[in-house]
């Protein structure tokens, strides 16, 4: 009996080492900053996906798992999800295998990184939480994110989080929220696909600041439907699509393209992808009357963001590099 | 699985000592030969050293070899005690293997922590050894784990726990270096 138990333990240990070896085959070193290099994963034979914040210079050196060195250029970046896609000269990057199953809380996972020439690094933990919905800087939106209790060693950003079969559940980064987070693999792959196609992820831009407010019965009557909340417009950027469309501070946004909008996230979600550059109809309450306004959705540009966000760029280099989510502890702000 | 881990811990506990340095400080030590204990050099002082077995029996322990660079020390007991823990060369240990650390963190006797072998790191030393390759683990270590064994799932020692970096990374000296040190003992 004890003998069998012992074999079970050995089998688990060997399975984990096997998983690490499988994940390690597609985990590369990304050397593009002064201090310790970081990690990246193979997305295609000539493409490496990594964390955007670890790219601090133009010349990027990639070290493949077998030790061969390659030079690379960044062909796209999405600061909103802290991902960057690199094109590797002379290709032959092994491609990461991704997990089919959804991540589950309590599942055993391993984080991998290859920041040094000493080979792969790994650490063990469990998925602590699968968070639903995270607003990220520059108008980004992740429908879910993964938090683990895995030790993220220095240089683990850009490396994969794998299950015990060696398949990737996500890409780790500490540059998104100030604490280590894992971007789910489906989000990461979707961003990588957009970056490979056009070098960026399109996100719509209206130029309004809003907050969710409850609607009074009279306002609901004006709408002609029961809707508990709307988005009160508290600020409008000059010359923005919202200003050109005639929206005003004090209007309450209640619907976007015929679909009701109650939370800021509802609007963020609708402003992704194809809607950029198109004319859309939004419904607003001005006082107690309902109006429909046509706007042409703009595209978020980083140049504009640099002006607005003091965190990166900005005057005096920005007072704080990282954006913090509301639940981040006070000492990390 | 639980039973296997329990059996594993029971199997190695007779090979783990508490090492007292005569100044109130203590850590752990690994029985390497029937009368030889390997521990961390930073535990030692000029005082009298004692080693306490899991039974509570205490022996005087005399430092035979102290290597500050490796942070390893070899102590000799007055007579052979118990059976030593077998040794595994960590170079045969794949990254991601389960490891256990046994020691006395914060004075808690024979506490066990579980983690994986995270990989190799290098450390530059001022001495003639130059660059050392050390084991990194995510098993939770604390003061009191120093000198204790890092074990594989078969109960073989792969390293000697030495220090904690940044609160969450444990560093261990490879067991093959400790073995080489023990072999230098004059007969």
């Amino acid at each position: 009996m004890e003998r069998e138990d012992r074999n079970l333990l050995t089998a688990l240990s060997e399975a984990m080492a096997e998983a690490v070896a499988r994940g390690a085959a597609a985990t590369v070193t990304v050397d593009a900053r002064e201090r310790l290099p970081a990690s990246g994963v193979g997305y295609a034979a000539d493409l490496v996906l990594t964390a955007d914040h670890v790219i601090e210079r133009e010349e990027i050196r990639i070290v493949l798992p077998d030790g061969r060195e390659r030079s690379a250029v960044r062909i796209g970046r999405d600061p909103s999800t802290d991902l960057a896609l690199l094109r590797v000269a002379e290709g032959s990057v092994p491609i990461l295998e991704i997990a089919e199953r959804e991540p589950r809380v309590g599942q055993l996972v391993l984080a991998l990184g290859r920041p040094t020439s000493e080979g792969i690094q790994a650490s063990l933990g469990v998925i602590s939480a699968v968070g639903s919905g995270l607003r990220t800087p520059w108008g980004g939106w992740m429908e879910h994110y993964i938090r683990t209790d895995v030790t993220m060693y220095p240089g683990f950003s850009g490396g994969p989080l794998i299950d015990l079969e060696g398949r990737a559940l996500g890409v780790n980064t500490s540059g998104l929220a100030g604490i280590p987070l894992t971007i789910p693999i489906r989000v990461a792959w979707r961003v990588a696909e957009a970056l490979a196609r056009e070098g960026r992820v399109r996100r719509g831009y209206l130029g309004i600041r809003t907050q969710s407010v409850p609607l009074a019965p009279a306002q609901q009557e004006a709408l002609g439907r029961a809707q508990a909340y709307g988005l009160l417009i508290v600020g409008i950027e000059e010359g923005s699509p919202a200003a050109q469309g005639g929206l005003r501070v004090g209007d309450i946004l209640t619907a976007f393209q015929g679909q009701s909008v109650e939370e800021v996230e509802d609007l963020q979600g609708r402003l992704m992808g194809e809607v950029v550059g198109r004319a859309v109809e939004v419904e607003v309450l001005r006082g107690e009357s309902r109006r429909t306004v046509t706007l042409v959705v703009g595209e978020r540009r980083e140049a504009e963001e640099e002006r607005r966000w003091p965190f990166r760029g900005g005057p005096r280099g920005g007072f704080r590099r990282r954006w913090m989510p509301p639940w981040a502890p006070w000492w990390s702000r | 699985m639980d039973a296997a881990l329990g059996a594993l811990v029971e199997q190695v506990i007779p090979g783990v000592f508490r090492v007292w340095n005569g100044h109130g400080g203590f850590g752990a030590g690994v029985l390497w030969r029937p009368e030889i204990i390997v521990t961390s050099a930073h535990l030692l002082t000029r005082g009298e050293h004692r080693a306490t077995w899991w039974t509570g029996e205490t022996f005087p322990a005399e430092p035979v070899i102290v290597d500050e660079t490796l942070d390893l020390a070899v102590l000799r007991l007055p007579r052979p005690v118990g059976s030593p823990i077998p040794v595994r060369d960590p170079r045969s240990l794949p990254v991601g293997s389960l490891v256990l650390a046994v020691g006395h963190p914060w004075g808690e006797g024979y506490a066990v922590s579980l983690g994986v072998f995270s990989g190799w790191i290098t450390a530059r030393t001022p001495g003639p050894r130059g660059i050392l390759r050390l084991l990194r683990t995510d098993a939770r270590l604390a003061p009191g784990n120093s000198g204790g064994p890092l074990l594989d799932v078969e109960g073989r020692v792969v390293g000697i726990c030495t220090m904690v970096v940044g609160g969450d990374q444990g560093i261990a000296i490879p067991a093959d270096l400790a073995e080489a040190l023990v072999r230098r003992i004059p007969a």
Side-chain angles (χ1 to χ4, degrees):
Chain A
M1 180 60 201
E2 197 171 286
R3 186 77 249 164
E4 278 173 29
D5 282 345
R6 185 60 61 81
N7 290 344
L8 206 60
L9 203 54
T10 309
L12 174 64
S13 181
E14 280 169 5
M16 286 184 350
E18 183 66 27
V20 168
R22 281 183 79 165
T27 305
V28 303
T29 306
V30 175
D31 182 6
R33 60 180 178 184
E34 289 307 311
R35 48 201 186 88
L36 190 70
S39 310
V41 296
Y43 174 69
D46 59 341
L47 296 173
V48 164
L49 188 67
T50 184
D52 183 50
H53 77 272
V54 306
I55 310 290
E56 292 179 358
R57 60 166 187 246
E58 294 281 308
E59 313 85 63
I60 302 168
R61 189 174 65 98
I62 301 284
V63 185
L64 299 180
D66 56 13
R68 284 179 296 171
E69 290 194 13
R70 294 279 189 270
S71 67
V73 287
R74 178 163 66 186
I75 60 165
R77 61 189 293 240
D78 183 33
S80 177
T81 48
D82 193 29
L83 289 169
L85 195 66
L86 315 176
R87 187 177 300 283
V88 182
E90 300 164 59
S92 67
V93 181
I95 298 168
L96 190 68
E97 287 181 72
I98 66 173
E100 299 292 326
R101 270 184 293 177
E102 291 294 310
R104 290 169 61 195
V105 175
Q107 183 182 356
L108 277 176
V109 289
L110 291 149
L112 303 183
R114 195 187 285 278
T116 66
S117 56
E118 288 298 316
I120 197 72
Q121 304 267 332
S123 66
L124 174 72
V126 294
I127 292 184
S128 312
V130 180
S132 63
L134 179 67
R135 285 189 71 192
T136 61
W138 303 282
W141 171 248
M142 287 203 293
E143 60 270 22
H144 58 281
Y145 62 91
I146 303 171
R147 286 195 64 187
T148 64
D149 67 348
V150 170
T151 303
M152 296 287 180
Y153 297 118
F156 264 41
S157 280
L161 185 79
I162 60 169
D163 61 15
L164 290 198
E165 288 166 352
R167 298 196 169 91
L169 293 163
V171 175
N172 303 317
T173 175
S174 57
L176 201 52
I179 50 166
L181 272 190
T182 303
I183 302 161
I185 197 71
R186 267 198 290 142
V187 176
W189 251 220
R190 202 181 57 214
V191 169
E193 195 193 341
L195 294 180
R197 204 173 49 235
E198 49 185 359
R200 64 197 157 124
V201 177
R202 287 163 173 269
R203 289 196 175 82
Y205 166 69
L206 293 179
I208 55 174
R209 294 159 212 251
T210 62
Q211 67 181 66
S212 185
V213 291
L215 296 180
Q219 292 172 315
Q220 299 195 25
E221 212 167 278
L223 285 182
R225 63 175 185 270
Q227 181 176 334
Y229 292 90
L231 293 179
L232 174 66
I233 299 178
V234 295
I236 292 187
E237 298 276 315
E238 256 178 63
S240 66
Q244 286 168 3
L247 290 184
R248 291 190 206 159
V249 171
D251 288 350
I252 299 176
L253 194 96
T254 50
F256 183 92
Q257 291 281 65
Q259 288 173 300
S260 64
V261 171
E262 301 193 35
E263 300 290 336
V264 180
E265 284 74 26
D266 295 344
L267 184 60
Q268 293 282 1
R270 306 248 155 80
L271 281 173
M272 300 271 281
E274 283 125 49
V275 77
V276 177
R278 293 213 187 140
V280 294
E281 288 201 336
V282 298
E283 178 192 62
V284 295
L285 281 170
R286 186 167 294 169
E288 283 180 5
S289 67
R290 173 184 164 278
R291 293 167 189 239
T292 304
V293 177
T294 303
L295 306 175
V296 179
V297 179
E299 186 181 347
R300 274 177 191 272
R301 297 279 181 190
E302 259 189 71
E304 294 173 6
E305 298 304 331
E306 269 178 18
R307 218 159 15 96
R308 192 172 307 115
W309 281 80
F311 303 132
R312 198 184 288 221
R316 281 170 288 136
F319 62 84
R320 181 77 208 193
R321 226 186 119 80
R322 293 170 177 153
W323 172 86
M324 296 290 163
W327 37 262
W330 61 269
W331 41 260
S332 71
R333 281 169 197 270
Chain B
M1 198 75 80
D2 303 350
L5 277 169
L8 180 59
V9 172
E10 274 175 29
Q11 174 196 322
V12 299
I13 275 179
V16 181
F17 278 73
R18 291 185 218 212
V19 175
W20 307 82
N21 65 11
H23 281 76
F26 81 105
V30 184
L31 195 65
W32 211 270
R33 302 268 192 272
E35 56 182 46
I36 296 294
I37 290 177
V38 173
T39 186
S40 292
H42 71 258
L43 291 176
L44 302 191
T45 61
R46 290 175 185 215
E48 300 280 298
H49 297 91
R50 287 171 299 136
T52 307
W53 208 17
W54 64 285
T55 56
E57 211 176 336
T58 299
F59 308 92
E62 181 206 346
V64 192
I65 301 175
V66 179
D67 189 322
E68 304 272 347
T69 317
L70 289 180
D71 193 18
L72 287 179
V74 179
L75 308 177
R76 193 197 295 274
L77 300 175
R79 61 177 173 84
V81 180
S83 56
I85 301 184
V87 178
R88 172 177 184 179
D89 189 331
R91 285 172 290 191
S92 70
L93 187 70
V95 174
S97 300
L98 272 178
V99 290
L100 285 172
V102 181
H104 321 297
W106 306 113
E108 186 64 51
Y110 294 98
V112 179
S113 49
L114 179 72
V116 293
F117 168 43
S118 290
W120 295 93
I121 59 164
T122 50
R124 206 176 294 275
T125 63
R129 289 182 188 273
I131 290 174
L132 278 182
R133 296 182 83 216
L134 305 174
L135 308 171
R136 172 142 85 169
T137 178
D138 60 359
R140 192 62 57 90
L141 303 183
N145 271 110
S146 289
L150 190 71
L151 304 147
D152 73 358
V153 286
E154 314 255 314
R156 292 171 295 186
V157 59
V158 292
I160 303 291
C161 302
T162 289
M163 60 170 159
V164 182
V165 180
D168 52 5
Q169 320 176 19
I171 306 289
I173 309 290
D176 53 321
L177 296 182
E179 175 68 31
L181 204 64
V182 169
R183 279 173 201 261
R184 273 174 32 203
I185 299 176

